[in-house]
Amino acid sequence: MENKRSQSPSRKASHSPGRGSRSPGRTVATPDRFIPSRMNPDAINVSHAKIVGDLTEKNDDNLSPNTKASREQMAANLAAAQGMNLDGKIILHYEDKPTSKQGSCSAQMLYQSSATTKVKKTHVERHIPTSAERVLDAPELMDDFYLNLIDWSSNNHLAIALGGVLYLWNATSGDIQQLFEMDHESSFISSVAWIPDGKYLAVGTSDNEVQLWDVAASKCLRRLKTHNQRVGSLAWNKHILSSGDRYGEIQHHDVRAPDHLMASVKNHSQEICGLKWSPSGNMLASGGNDNTLCIWPGYNAGGAGFSATPLHTITEHTAAVKALAWCPFQSHCLASGGGTSDRFIRIWNAQNGRQVASVDTKSQVCGLLWNETYGELISGHGYPKNQLTIWRYPTMEQVAELSGHSERILYMSQSPDNTTVVSGSADETIRLWKCWEIDEAVMKKKLAGAQRTAGASKTKAKPLQARGLR
């Protein structure tokens, strides 16, 4: 069972407005510390040439062999102490001198400089900012591993649940709107999920109900009261809303019908903390606090409807399975992440239930997201680093680490253009990371590769072997 608290510790009044506040404040990131310029390498070269030249170029036939040997050794020692060899070359230097903007020396610039060195070739094809582009204050963002409190709509609105209050942040304009507040002081929001077209928002609560909101009208359209426990997970498949509760039950609702409940299924023995429909809508993945991952078939319109038995019940994880993400560019590819006692990211072929890749992340995995543009996966973590990590698929080679949160990252979502990731943490901040910004050079290379692949596929097609899936 993952360690959790029902609510994050409150902050000082000057920084954390109470529940009555209409919008969370903003925190402006402070600049990186100033790092003074080092000595000009050319000046070092001059000093080196003079010292070494005096010791090595002076050729006096009257000197004894011992004196000559002593001078040669002294020259070698001085060169080594200054990071040079006797040919005047600086050891481990930048191939091209790094440039910086006048009057600043940021951590971002230091990263760019390091990326241009030719000490070791890497596969990094773009600059990935390792600090957040924007930081938002999020007082009362609950420190609960089993909840899902952030979701980004296709209309570029971010839904954020802070305790019992639901806020909407317009990522285009920066405006913040309070959509509603729970009726009772002890009640809280336990999950949020946008319908794919972004018009309606589903909200799960600690009062065992699911609310459906028309965001444009700021109106609650329906209250679905068929659960007996809090609803911590929600997932849309067109007009079908699936909800998972603390009892381990999954319910499927047709939100268009007066009698909305289509089916209730149960294969988990503990709380559902992860729930995701595949892009095609023909499979549903569920993760629970019982360390189990289930893969369910979709709705069978001409048959029995929703199956009461999953296609696969996977028990390889040794901790709660919250992090779930379907690959957008490879059919039937599913990523899952385990909690503190597991720490693994595992990649599955959902058709046959086989594991095709895995990596030990060394920390609690709380969230996963894919990016089709770069063929990568990003994970959000807890102790000890509280970082986001970008992985290259299918090798699962680490591409970058993004740091800034001081406590575990519990909630993640992705912008509609797929360039930005948002993370919510127990440190009561929300951070936006521009980790997948489009690079035209990379896109040209990707397009050329896709054209070559398309040409080759005409002669021999292997749909399940792309990017390593077997």
Side-chain angles (χ1 to χ4, degrees), residues 222-369:
R222 301 189 69 174
R223 293 175 184 264
L224 314 181
K225 301 182 178 182
T226 49
H227 283 282
N228 295 316
Q229 294 286 336
R230 74 178 187 186
V231 182
S233 299
L234 296 166
W236 286 94
N237 183 6
K238 299 180 181 178
H239 57 275
I240 295 174
L241 175 64
S242 300
S243 53
D245 65 21
R246 199 170 193 173
Y247 179 59
E249 184 178 62
I250 299 172
Q251 296 185 0
H252 302 291
H253 313 267
D254 184 343
V255 299
R256 306 168 302 174
D259 186 10
H260 58 84
L261 184 61
M262 303 174 69
S264 294
V265 296
K266 189 176 188 298
N267 196 58
H268 292 278
S269 60
Q270 295 187 43
E271 183 165 15
I272 305 291
C273 47
L275 201 62
K276 296 289 182 181
W277 277 102
S278 65
S280 64
N282 62 355
M283 289 186 183
L284 175 69
S286 63
N289 193 38
D290 56 359
N291 309 344
T292 301
L293 167 64
C294 293
I295 300 175
W296 304 80
Y299 181 69
N300 186 350
F306 284 102
S307 172
T309 306
L311 292 171
H312 308 288
T313 300
I314 298 170
T315 58
E316 268 74 7
H317 285 290
T318 58
V321 183
K322 176 185 182 180
L324 297 172
W326 291 92
C327 180
F329 53 82
Q330 188 170 353
S331 178
H332 307 123
C333 178
L334 172 68
S336 63
T340 305
S341 300
D342 181 77
R343 305 175 301 182
F344 269 83
I345 295 173
R346 302 179 187 274
I347 311 296
W348 308 93
N349 182 332
Q351 277 193 319
N352 55 30
R354 293 178 182 173
Q355 179 177 293
V356 296
S358 67
V359 60
D360 185 355
T361 70
K362 309 298 183 183
S363 61
Q364 179 187 46
V365 185
C366 304
L368 290 168
L369 295 168

Side-chain angles (χ1 to χ4, degrees), residues 104-116:
S104 67
C105 184
S106 66
Q108 177 178 341
M109 186 57 65
L110 289 176
Y111 177 87
Q112 290 174 323
S113 301
S114 298
T116 61

Side-chain angles (χ1 to χ4, degrees), residues 8-29:
S8 304
S10 58
R11 294 181 169 191
K12 295 181 181 179
S14 60
H15 296 287
S16 300
R19 268 179 67 174
S21 174
R22 292 185 59 83
S23 64
R26 299 184 183 178
T27 301
V28 179

Side-chain angles (χ1 to χ4, degrees), residues 39-57 78-79 82 84-90 97:
M39 181 181 291
N40 189 327
D42 293 335
I44 297 177
N45 288 338
V46 171
S47 300
H48 167 263
K50 183 173 180 58
I51 296 171
V52 175
D54 289 343
L55 292 171
T56 59
E57 295 179 3
L78 284 171
Q82 295 184 42
M84 303 178 182
N85 59 25
L86 289 178
D87 295 326
K89 296 179 181 179
I90 304 175
K97 297 177 184 178

Side-chain angles (χ1 to χ4, degrees), residues 128-178:
I128 303 174
T130 55
S131 58
E133 181 184 51
R134 195 163 193 173
V135 181
L136 304 175
D137 190 29
E140 298 187 38
L141 182 64
M142 296 184 66
D143 180 9
D144 194 324
F145 180 84
Y146 306 100
L147 307 185
N148 294 275
L149 303 181
I150 292 177
D151 197 27
W152 208 326
S153 79
S154 58
N155 292 332
N156 211 20
H157 288 80
L158 193 64
I160 306 167
L162 302 180
V165 186
L166 196 288
Y167 292 97
L168 301 176
W169 182 68
N170 187 324
T172 303
S173 66
D175 294 337
I176 299 174
Q177 170 194 353
Q178 179 178 313

